[in-house]
């Protein structure tokens, strides 16, 4: 080390202690840059670091709590959906139970009944009671007999040869009635088509 280098080192050390601007060497022949060295800056940085670490810790805690709250919300809504699906038809079944009660009473009297007309009338009353309830719920029968075959509401089971030209391509027999619930097909009519 030359005496010139030693003098520069001593000047830098003295400047650091006093807080003055010093020259830093980037290369022996390169440009001279000045920077300000402040005594006590290290303690400010550590305080800022502690403050930032505290803020990160608080944000992490908030995130964990928010994540747990969301997970609880998701589980709760999923459970509520499952409960709703399980009991969705409860109202319908409660209203159908009186019809079942009537059928059971009718079945008890069928064996002992001597008047067949009274049995038929009782069965017809029960049938009408059930049909009225279904109509109130929006269930309607699909009219199929002698109508043009429609794939939107009919399901063709077979074709049957017919002599009447008016019945060709139309429904000549209904094997199973179809039903609509609020204008949506819930069961297609199983039909025989005239050919």
């Amino acid at each position: 080390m030359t005496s010139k280098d030693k003098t520069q080192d001593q000047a830098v050390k003295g400047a650091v202690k006093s807080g003055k601007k010093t020259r830093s060497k980037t290369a022996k022949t390169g440009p001279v840059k000045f920077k300000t060295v402040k005594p006590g800056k290290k303690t400010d940085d550590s305080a800022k670091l502690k403050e930032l670490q505290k803020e990160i810790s608080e944000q992490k805690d908030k995130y964990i709590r928010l994540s747990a709250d969301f997970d609880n919300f998701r589980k709760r809504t999923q459970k509520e959906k499952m409960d709703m699906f399980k009991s969705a038809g409860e109202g319908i079944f409660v209203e159908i139970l009186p019809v079942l009660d009537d059928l059971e009473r009718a079945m008890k009297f069928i064996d002992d009944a001597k008047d067949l007309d009274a049995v038929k009338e009782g069965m017809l009353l029960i049938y009408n009671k059930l049909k009225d309830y279904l109509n109130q719920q929006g269930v309607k029968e699909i009219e199929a007999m002698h109508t043009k075959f429609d794939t939107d509401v009919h399901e063709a089971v077979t074709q049957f040869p017919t002599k009447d030209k008016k019945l060709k391509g139309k429904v000549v027999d209904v094997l199973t009635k179809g039903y609509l619930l609020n204008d949506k097909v819930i069961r297609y009519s199983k039909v025989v088509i005239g050919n």
Side-chain angles (χ1 to χ4, degrees), residues 16-115:
V16 167
K17 287 181 183 175
S18 65
K20 294 181 181 174
K21 291 185 180 180
T22 62
R23 293 190 309 179
S24 65
K25 295 189 265 179
T26 56
K28 282 190 175 185
T29 58
V32 177
K33 295 182 181 176
F34 293 97
K35 62 180 175 181
T36 306
V37 178
K38 295 181 182 176
K41 185 175 182 179
K42 195 174 193 179
T43 57
D44 288 345
D45 287 344
S46 65
K48 281 185 180 179
L49 181 64
K50 285 181 182 178
E51 186 180 318
L52 289 173
Q53 286 175 338
K54 182 181 176 186
E55 189 176 327
I56 288 171
S57 176
E58 288 173 358
Q59 293 298 328
K60 190 176 180 182
D61 185 52
K62 284 181 183 178
Y63 170 76
I64 290 171
R65 290 178 189 275
L66 184 62
S67 178
D69 285 345
F70 178 73
D71 193 42
N72 290 339
F73 168 76
R74 186 180 52 78
K75 287 177 183 176
R76 186 175 57 249
T77 55
Q78 190 175 21
K79 184 178 182 288
E80 288 171 358
K81 277 184 185 177
M82 293 300 288
D83 291 343
M84 187 174 71
F85 284 131
K86 285 180 183 176
S87 63
E90 182 179 345
I92 292 171
F93 295 125
V94 167
E95 295 296 325
I96 289 179
L97 289 176
V99 176
L100 180 64
D101 294 338
D102 291 344
L103 279 172
E104 287 173 348
R105 277 187 231 114
M107 288 170 57
K108 284 181 186 176
F109 292 110
I110 285 177
D111 293 335
D112 300 334
K114 297 196 180 193
D115 186 10

Side-chain angles (χ1 to χ4, degrees), residues 161-174:
T162 180
K163 294 177 183 176
D164 190 355
K165 289 183 181 181
K166 291 179 183 177
L167 293 178
K168 287 192 179 190
K170 292 190 176 183
V171 176
V172 292
D173 192 15
V174 178

Side-chain angles (χ1 to χ4, degrees), residues 128-178:
N128 287 332
K129 186 176 186 178
L130 178 60
K131 198 163 184 176
D132 288 343
Y133 171 72
L134 291 174
N135 283 332
Q136 289 171 359
Q137 299 305 312
V139 177
K140 293 178 183 155
E141 183 181 327
I142 296 171
E143 293 296 327
M145 197 63 171
H146 301 294
T147 61
K148 186 176 179 189
F149 177 72
D150 182 2
T151 57
D152 291 335
V153 292
H154 301 137
E155 180 181 329
V157 176
T158 187
Q159 292 184 358
F160 189 76
T162 180
K163 294 177 183 176
D164 190 355
K165 289 183 181 181
K166 291 179 183 177
L167 293 178
K168 287 192 179 190
K170 292 190 176 183
V171 176
V172 292
D173 192 15
V174 178
L175 302 176
T176 306
K177 291 180 181 180

